[in-house]
Amino acid sequence: MKFSFIQTTNYWVSEHPSIVSFRWSHTQSWGSTWSFLFSSIAVYVVSATTLHLLLSLLLRRNHRVHLGPIPALHSLVMALVSVIIFVGILLSTAAEIRDTRWFWRRTKTTVAIQWLLCFPLGTRPSGRVFFWSYIFYLSRFLHLLRTFFTILKYRKLNFFTLLNQSILLFMSFIWLEFSQSFQVLAILLTTLLYSVVYGYRFWTAIGLPSACFPFVVNCQVVLLGCNLVCHLGVFLVQLLKGGCNGIGAWGLNSVLNCVILSLVLKFYLKLRSTKR
């Protein structure tokens, strides 16, 4: 029974024909054009800002909109989606190793690890791994809903939230558009942490006790720190091995990650000073 479950799971997340034959295309993949990306970001920023202003004008300062179980359900869904993406890209990467698509069996294990940081030049956004990268990109739109829940419930909106969500949506798009190196590790780390963070948010949303420290912010710092180390690894492989695919997009990604890290650290330090 256990073996059958593993086989079934493996088929649906890495061997299904739709996954194996996936190809990122501006004509066939929903949300795959630059105009769609920038329009979505603009709509998100304008909608969130407008909602916040309307609530500030129409409602009293201490009045909150009661959302009932919606935030808890959203957290549960996001935790499950993150787990599915994590399992999907993990098994898909294992399947690519088995099929020797990137010729891992012809090299040592250390070279296989290098591929996780650096796609070979000429890599196209097609196949199992990029299917799950596409699903991760689509899941970013579900993440945007939390901004509106925060506005409705707490009437809070800050520049960091809008910038952070917009940057993350933009980065997940360029991963696919330029077959950017490093994205496999980035998705594995991010979905693993998101499954924990959204699971924690669901835990607290249903009334269970919360941690005695800023759990979510600490998780964000850990994730960004891991990303920073991985970006350093990509830089070293780029210098030593003669080129990684999508290195221009990786450079932009690195800059955006530094921006997010600086904002998170600033928020973290401000939170610590406030508590003191």
Side-chain angles (χ1 to χ4, degrees), residues 11 13 20 48 53 59 74 105 122 145 152 172 180 185 193 197 201 228 266 276:
Y11 172 78
V13 302
V20 176
L53 290 175
L59 300 180
H74 177 262
R105 290 181 184 174
L145 294 177
L152 290 170
S172 61
Q180 183 196 306
L185 274 179
L193 201 67
V197 167
R201 284 171 171 167
L228 190 61
K266 181 179 179 181
R276 287 176 183 173

Side-chain angles (χ1 to χ4, degrees), residues 117-186:
L117 297 172
C118 176
F119 284 156
L121 293 173
T123 300
R124 302 300 179 190
S126 62
R128 301 178 179 94
V129 167
F130 288 98
F131 170 84
W132 288 108
S133 181
Y134 177 58
I135 299 300
F136 179 81
Y137 164 64
L138 296 180
S139 72
R140 296 299 331 168
F141 292 95
L142 292 177
H143 284 273
L144 300 182
L145 294 177
R146 184 166 179 83
T147 302
F148 298 96
F149 297 155
T150 303
I151 295 171
L152 290 170
K153 190 173 181 179
Y154 300 107
R155 293 178 59 189
K156 291 182 179 180
L157 179 65
N158 54 60
F159 174 74
F160 167 73
T161 299
L162 296 177
L163 182 63
N164 181 52
Q165 294 289 4
S166 299
I167 287 176
L168 292 174
L169 181 60
F170 177 79
M171 287 195 305
S172 61
F173 178 89
I174 64 174
W175 287 353
L176 287 157
E177 184 67 16
F178 298 103
S179 303
Q180 183 196 306
S181 296
F182 163 71
Q183 63 179 281
V184 174
L185 274 179

Side-chain angles (χ1 to χ4, degrees), residues 11-12 14-23 127-128 131-132:
Y11 172 78
W12 284 106
S14 66
E15 300 296 340
H16 192 277
S18 298
I19 297 176
V20 176
S21 63
F22 172 79
R23 184 177 183 84
R128 301 178 179 94
F131 170 84
W132 288 108

Side-chain angles (χ1 to χ4, degrees), residues 66-75 202 205-206:
H66 296 285
L67 299 175
I70 295 177
L73 290 175
H74 177 262
S75 296
F202 174 73
I206 61 177

Side-chain angles (χ1 to χ4, degrees), residues 34-239:
W34 287 99
S35 58
F36 179 88
L37 173 67
F38 289 119
S39 297
S40 299
I41 293 175
V43 169
Y44 163 69
V45 172
V46 171
S47 299
T49 305
T50 302
L51 179 62
H52 183 256
L53 290 175
L54 286 176
L55 290 179
S56 300
L57 292 173
L58 298 177
L59 300 180
R60 297 188 301 273
R61 180 178 294 274
N62 60 349
H63 185 79
R64 295 180 179 180
V65 178
H66 296 285
L67 299 175
I70 295 177
L73 290 175
H74 177 262
S75 296
L76 179 61
V77 169
M78 290 309 309
L80 294 175
V81 168
S82 298
V83 170
I84 292 171
I85 296 174
F86 176 83
V87 173
I89 197 166
L90 184 65
L91 294 180
S92 293
T93 302
E96 298 290 1
I97 297 173
R98 181 202 64 211
D99 294 344
T100 65
R101 176 170 177 173
W102 292 289
F103 308 104
W104 286 17
R105 290 181 184 174
R106 302 181 188 178
T107 59
K108 296 180 180 179
T109 304
T110 52
V111 179
I113 296 173
Q114 288 172 7
W115 178 87
L116 291 175
L117 297 172
C118 176
F119 284 156
L121 293 173
T123 300
R124 302 300 179 190
S126 62
R128 301 178 179 94
V129 167
F130 288 98
F131 170 84
W132 288 108
S133 181
Y134 177 58
I135 299 300
F136 179 81
Y137 164 64
L138 296 180
S139 72
R140 296 299 331 168
F141 292 95
L142 292 177
H143 284 273
L144 300 182
L145 294 177
R146 184 166 179 83
T147 302
F148 298 96
F149 297 155
T150 303
I151 295 171
L152 290 170
K153 190 173 181 179
Y154 300 107
R155 293 178 59 189
K156 291 182 179 180
L157 179 65
N158 54 60
F159 174 74
F160 167 73
T161 299
L162 296 177
L163 182 63
N164 181 52
Q165 294 289 4
S166 299
I167 287 176
L168 292 174
L169 181 60
F170 177 79
M171 287 195 305
S172 61
F173 178 89
I174 64 174
W175 287 353
L176 287 157
E177 184 67 16
F178 298 103
S179 303
Q180 183 196 306
S181 296
F182 163 71
Q183 63 179 281
V184 174
L185 274 179
I187 295 173
L188 285 171
L189 290 171
T190 303
T191 51
L192 178 62
L193 201 67
Y194 278 176
S195 61
V196 174
V197 167
Y198 277 101
Y200 170 78
R201 284 171 171 167
F202 174 73
W203 174 275
T204 56
I206 61 177
L208 295 173
S210 59
C212 58
F213 59 93
F215 181 84
V216 175
V217 176
N218 279 293
C219 286
Q220 288 178 326
V221 172
V222 169
L223 175 61
L224 291 168
C226 291
N227 282 339
L228 190 61
V229 172
C230 292
H231 276 288
L232 179 60
V234 175
F235 178 71
L236 293 176
V237 174
Q238 166 71 13
L239 292 180

